[in-house]
């Protein structure tokens, strides 16, 4: 699953006004050692590079067993087109996507869990 996430947390975490995240089965995506791990309550875990603090991956309790990676750090990003917009209600007002993709209010957890 690859999705735009327009939520404020992803914007701040990635530094992108229009973040795109790729979801992977956690079992298929072992995180490399040495990352900095931070917990935000019990629902969110984010990993950043220990050297530069750049975003590497996130795990969210509402989509169990999945790891989400900012698309900009994936070498194969050209082949990983987004298929939906999550948190569409928080999209920046100057963006006018005409991509025809589904736009969900909130996290889109039902679609994200169905994509496992
Ligand atoms: Zn988000």
């Amino acid at each position: 699953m690859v999705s735009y996430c327009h939520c404020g947390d992803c914007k701040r975490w990635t530094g992108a006004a229009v973040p795109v995240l790729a979801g992977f089965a956690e079992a298929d995506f072992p995180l490399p050692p040495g990352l900095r791990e931070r917990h935000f309550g019990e629902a969110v875990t984010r990993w950043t590079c220990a050297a530069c603090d750049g975003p590497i991956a996130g795990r969210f309790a509402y989509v169990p067993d999945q790891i989400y990676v900012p698309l900009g750090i994936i070498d194969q990003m050209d082949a990983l087109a987004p298929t939906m917009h999550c948190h569409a209600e928080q999209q920046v007002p100057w963006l006018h996507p005409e991509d025809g993709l589904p736009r969900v209010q909130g996290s889109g957890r039902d679609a994200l869990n169905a994509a496992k």
Side-chain angles (χ1 to χ4, degrees):
M1 166 62 79
V2 181
S3 176
Y4 293 95
C5 186
H6 299 282
C7 86
D9 287 344
C10 286
K11 290 175 190 169
R12 283 185 289 276
W13 180 51
T14 62
V18 188
V20 180
L21 302 175
F24 299 91
E26 196 168 358
D28 296 340
F29 198 89
L31 293 170
L35 298 179
R36 181 172 293 145
E37 180 176 310
R38 291 190 178 101
H39 298 271
F40 300 87
E42 295 187 9
V44 177
T45 303
R46 296 186 195 275
W47 291 269
T48 59
C49 173
C52 72
D53 216 25
I56 302 292
R59 182 172 56 210
F60 310 94
Y62 59 85
V63 279
D65 305 319
Q66 296 185 41
I67 292 284
Y68 284 83
V69 178
L71 197 63
I73 66 167
I74 298 175
D75 290 342
Q76 299 84 0
M77 75 174 88
D78 288 357
L80 297 170
T83 57
M84 66 184 294
H85 293 262
C86 296
H87 288 285
E89 76 282 0
Q90 296 182 49
Q91 177 184 301
V92 291
W94 44 258
L95 182 69
H96 305 286
E98 297 176 2
D99 54 20
L101 298 177
R103 305 173 55 76
V104 299
Q105 308 293 304
S107 67
R109 67 186 64 190
D110 292 341
L112 297 174
N113 279 308
K116 278 195 227 178

